[in-house]
Amino acid sequence: MKDDCLFCQIAKGKIPSTTVYEDRHFRVFLDVNPASKGHCLIVPKEHFDNVYDLDAETAGKLFSLATCIARAMCDALGCDGLNIVQNNGKIAGQTVFHFHLHLIPRYEGDGVNVTWTPHESTSEELEKIRAAIRKEI
Ligand code: 5GP
Ligand code: ZN
């Protein structure tokens, strides 16, 4: 636990949150400034700065929980879709530096924007990038 970390404090219940689920490892609560109605955050109770820090066991449990919460949200909210978003680093939009997964319900005409502009790429470029990433796995 990092004393100066907002989500450590929330995860451990030292700062109140609108909690929809809690177990030994995770807390799921409503985002205080939601992108849409029912926007949830899944936060591990252990502190990890970002996805690079996360261990495989926590990551597995986390995504398993995410599927369960997503289904519950879909049933409860009657949303038309749902985005799962996870930001790493300031440039990627991370503002709280304790790993968290966003579950954002989507509704027709909600104005939420989590899309990007697709770019052209050549097969040579793709192959070079593929090889560089493969080498690091
Ligand atoms: P990030 O931008 O780091 O991916 O997401 C941080 C999220 O945490 C934002 O959507 C923001 O609204 C939410 N958030 C920040 N502070 C609090 C808080 O004190 N309580 C709750 N429930 N959500 C928060
Ligand atoms: Zn933390």
Side-chain angles (χ1 to χ4, degrees):
M1 160 132 185
K2 275 177 82 175
D3 286 341
D4 60 345
C5 172
L6 173 64
F7 280 5
C8 276
Q9 308 270 356
I10 289 178
K12 296 272 162 80
K14 294 184 189 309
I15 290 178
S17 63
T18 314
T19 294
V20 302
Y21 174 84
E22 181 186 5
D23 64 22
R24 223 153 49 84
H25 303 290
F26 303 101
R27 184 183 293 272
V28 184
F29 55 95
L30 296 179
D31 195 297
V32 76
N33 296 126
S36 65
K37 186 187 75 183
H39 180 168
C40 287
L41 300 173
I42 304 183
V43 172
K45 290 192 173 178
E46 190 177 337
H47 180 91
F48 304 96
D49 281 350
N50 49 42
V51 74
Y52 317 116
D53 276 1
L54 206 62
D55 63 273
E57 196 187 336
T58 305
K61 286 197 178 101
L62 182 106
F63 208 78
S64 172
L65 176 59
T67 63
C68 171
I69 301 296
R71 282 189 289 267
M73 288 171 67
C74 191
D75 290 345
L77 301 165
C79 49
D80 305 307
L82 183 139
N83 290 111
I84 294 184
V85 177
Q86 197 275 309
N87 300 325
N88 299 283
K90 201 168 159 215
I91 187 70
Q94 187 175 11
T95 58
V96 177
F97 293 86
H98 175 126
F99 178 98
H100 53 280
L101 206 66
H102 295 261
L103 276 71
I104 305 175
R106 299 300 307 274
Y107 308 92
E108 293 297 338
D110 62 17
V112 175
N113 190 1
V114 286
T115 57
W116 53 88
T117 307
H119 293 89
E120 298 282 321
S121 183
T122 64
S123 51
E124 289 78 16
E125 276 168 348
L126 294 178
E127 172 52 25
K128 208 167 145 194
I129 294 161
R130 183 205 66 77
I133 297 171
R134 182 71 188 90
K135 198 152 69 74
E136 300 298 334
I137 297 174

